[in-house]
Amino acid sequence: MMHALQLWYQHGWIRAIDVSLAEQLQQLGASESAAFMAALTSVQLGHGHPCLDLNSLYHNFERSLNLPPEHATADSLQVCQAPKALLEADASVSTLDNCLSQLQQSAVVNQPNSPLVLQGTRLYLRRYYDYEQRIKADLKRRMVAQVPVDTERLRRVLDALFGQTERISWQRTACAMAMRSRFTIVTGGPGTGKTYTVVRLLATLQKLRTQAAPLRIRLAAPTGKAAARMSESISAELGNLDAIKEVADVLAEGLASDAVTLHRLLGTVPHSRRFRHNASNPLHADVLIIDEASMVDIGMLAAVVAALPAHARLILLGDKDQLASVEAGAILGQLCEGAEQGHYAPELIEWLNKTSANLMPDHTLDADAERWPYLQHTTMFHESRRFDAEKGIGKLAYEVNQQRIEWLQQWLRDSQLMAATHPEFDNIHVLQSSHADDANIKRLVLDGYAPLQQLLSKGPNDNSEQGVNEWAKAILAQLGEFQLLTAVREGNWGMHAFNQRVTYWLHGDQSQQHGWFSGRPVMVTHNDYHLNLRNGDIGVVLQRAEGEPLRVAFLNPQGDVRWVLPSRLTQIDTAYAMTIHKSQGSEFNHTVMVMPQTDAPILTKELLYTGITRAKSNFTLICSQPQLVIKAVQRRVKRNGGLTDA
């Protein structure tokens, strides 16, 4: 087994850290089979799973592990032995029962401070087991904590904020739900009113607070881009409440509108996993609201709940159907499982009816609601104000999210005909091509970036500082009009290849002379607190005046242009194309999503849904094999973990 691990590593099937863990455990006295299982747990961690689900492993080896990986070469397939054959050849782990018995007897499993923890049929690295237990214990404490609420007063405040409606207002329900406990989830797709709700939720919390001083409210998001968008959206929505007399006084007290990244909120300690704010040094906050919570991994949420005071409210916002975090865990997806149906307890329905202008729908009632503890604190929004579920982008996103392939198959086959005969579908298109440098793809890209090129060629209206800054602002705004999104990073259909291809199409040989040239859009790939730049920030390389060195223009959170020398930017990518993962929290007027030529486990309905819903007005799908789209829609992200176990 150890020899097999070495071969897998040499052929790129697994990481060095996976092999190293197995070797270290053998040195601690672990059997070869236990060390091998630890390596598989580490492999799963690299795929985003906090644990190795042994039950799933023994019932479906290939799908559970993704070994051999999709990029395995023919040579490696001949040399490397598959996991299933290895396990079947060893009597100690040939069956699930034998494997569990072997692990239970191991000195490195379920012992004080042992590196591995076996919980039922799930095998964890201890750190990730501790993360999961910390989150579960903390959320349970916040959910059961009694928070006294004057329902009559709450109803009057909600009446002022939301007015009377003919049917149930889920935004109002979310505000009411948040008042009765110290943990709340608000989930829904793009344009369903999450920002609209959170501002009114903040006003409700401040209006009904029992303390004399205003609540200390902190706003945070996983990435710099998401934090900036959260700040912008909330600041814009705050202005809509100024005219409401009943809450004008709390607005005057200054609701927090500046969001920060979670890393900045907690205070990173250089060269460690620790944060300045923790259980011994908690955050100074009464309410913490985290946007884009689908991107929060299990380690980060464990750090957040450790640092959040016991009396504080934790409110998670996000789209449960979007991609899960890049790191391990699928927190929001697991906590919100079943949210479409409500599954509310009778006593919760009764309480909500006291605060609502309309009675809760019957279908949300579940007499067996104890099976859904997190849903008693969750509100899901269904109706999008941005997209019509029967038209264009909204229809496409809905069909993908519901994994309904009949309409999708027709659209993939007849998109041009549908667009020509049905005006409601004239903003969603399919461009099928077997070559990534196809002339039709090139024409689409050149047309999409033509307004950007015109702005670059035109230059500033005048050479004053204000004129140059306005020119840079216009270019940065134009970058949000057209965007290529790729499903993968590598390969001929990946992000890197498309960036090289588009750069050459637009700039020719100039781009080959050196990496920095005027007009190059760049994305920051890691937070840089010295430069006050965040992961996901977009800039553009410009020459402010003839003879001056090139500089990169970024917008700061206040909307002002700041200029940075290229030599100070060490972790950036060209941004003509970005991965769908990197696009989360962004919107583009015309989004072009590029599918790879071969199938891969990363292609899921969550990936497609996320890419489609980045588009505001137009969406184009580039694919070489339409059947891969159908395969992707039928595949869901399923990450292992015991977060929702009783």
Side-chain angles (χ1 to χ4, degrees), residues 161 194-204 206 217 219 229-245 247-259 289:
L161 287 168
K194 295 189 293 293
T195 302
Y196 170 90
T197 302
V198 75
V199 170
R200 284 153 180 78
L201 172 54
L202 294 177
T204 305
Q206 291 283 33
I217 297 173
L219 307 174
R229 284 204 46 157
M230 186 184 191
S231 295
E232 293 166 6
S233 300
I234 288 179
S235 294
E237 189 62 39
L238 282 173
N240 296 331
L241 289 186
D242 286 338
I244 301 178
K245 179 181 177 183
V247 296
D249 55 337
V250 297
L251 290 176
E253 291 172 344
L255 296 176
S257 59
D258 288 333
I289 301 180

Side-chain angles (χ1 to χ4, degrees), residues 185 187 293-296 316 318-325 329-340 372 374-375 606 636-639 643-644:
I185 300 174
T187 185
S294 63
M295 300 165 66
V296 179
L316 303 181
D319 185 350
K320 75 178 186 65
D321 296 314
Q322 275 195 176
L323 283 166
S325 58
I331 303 294
L332 196 69
Q334 290 181 8
L335 296 181
C336 295
E337 186 176 354
E340 293 87 350
W372 310 91
Y374 296 112
L375 296 189
E606 288 85 359
R636 296 194 62 173
V637 172
K638 181 65 176 176
R639 288 191 172 175
L643 197 60
T644 56

Side-chain angles (χ1 to χ4, degrees), residues 554-626:
F554 292 93
L555 284 182
N556 64 22
Q558 291 73 40
D560 299 321
V561 177
R562 55 190 300 252
W563 300 88
V564 179
L565 286 170
S567 58
R568 301 188 68 190
L569 298 172
T570 57
Q571 297 187 334
I572 53 95
D573 278 328
T574 300
Y576 286 122
M578 66 180 71
T579 62
I580 297 171
H581 276 90
K582 279 289 188 183
S583 74
Q584 289 188 91
S586 299
E587 293 176 344
F588 310 99
N589 194 47
H590 184 179
T591 296
V592 178
M593 186 167 73
V594 180
M595 293 287 284
Q597 207 166 20
T598 56
D599 195 19
I602 195 175
L603 301 179
T604 62
K605 72 105 172 173
E606 288 85 359
L607 186 84
L608 268 61
Y609 171 81
T610 302
I612 293 164
T613 53
R614 299 312 91 202
K616 289 194 291 186
S617 301
N618 290 280
F619 175 81
T620 301
L621 173 70
I622 295 178
C623 65
S624 59
Q625 300 186 56

Side-chain angles (χ1 to χ4, degrees), residues 327-517:
E327 302 296 331
I331 303 294
L332 196 69
Q334 290 181 8
L335 296 181
C336 295
E337 186 176 354
E340 293 87 350
Q341 291 77 38
H343 293 292
Y344 294 150
E347 56 270 24
L348 174 58
I349 294 282
E350 182 181 357
W351 190 90
L352 290 172
N353 283 340
K354 290 179 182 178
T355 67
S356 176
N358 307 86
L359 296 179
M360 294 291 291
D362 292 340
H363 74 267
T364 61
L365 175 65
D366 188 342
D368 194 22
E370 305 118 17
R371 294 175 51 235
W372 310 91
Y374 296 112
L375 296 189
Q376 310 314 302
H377 306 264
T378 299
T379 308
M380 182 169 182
F381 301 160
H382 301 274
E383 293 186 18
S384 175
R385 300 177 185 181
R386 187 181 310 162
F387 300 129
D388 186 329
E390 293 301 320
K391 296 179 181 178
I393 296 167
K395 174 69 171 176
L396 181 58
Y398 177 80
E399 297 293 325
V400 166
N401 199 32
Q402 297 299 314
Q403 297 181 286
R404 290 162 43 168
I405 64 172
E406 292 81 5
W407 183 89
L408 289 169
Q409 287 174 323
Q410 180 187 358
W411 177 70
L412 287 167
R413 185 180 61 248
D414 303 321
S415 68
Q416 288 186 331
L417 178 62
M418 289 175 68
T421 57
H422 295 79
E424 65 269 30
F425 299 131
D426 65 358
N427 64 343
I428 51 174
H429 305 277
V430 178
L431 177 53
Q432 188 173 341
S433 176
S434 57
H435 301 288
D437 54 0
D438 183 277
N440 290 324
I441 297 177
K442 181 178 180 180
R443 187 179 306 112
L444 173 69
V445 171
L446 292 180
D447 288 346
Y449 282 120
L452 175 67
Q453 295 301 101
Q454 290 169 6
L455 277 172
L456 289 167
S457 301
K458 180 182 177 183
N461 290 329
D462 60 72
N463 293 327
S464 67
E465 182 178 353
Q466 181 179 351
V468 174
N469 286 344
E470 290 299 323
W471 176 55
K473 280 186 184 181
I475 290 171
L476 289 167
Q478 185 60 45
L479 282 171
E481 292 296 304
F482 181 85
Q483 184 63 54
L484 287 166
L485 303 182
T486 64
V488 296
R489 291 177 61 85
E490 309 301 337
N492 200 36
W493 296 82
M495 181 267 287
H496 291 304
F498 259 95
N499 270 320
Q500 292 176 356
R501 190 173 291 120
V502 174
T503 298
Y504 183 74
W505 287 343
L506 294 174
H507 300 279
D509 293 335
Q510 176 191 359
S511 64
Q512 308 301 316
Q513 294 171 7
H514 61 87
W516 295 101
F517 55 89

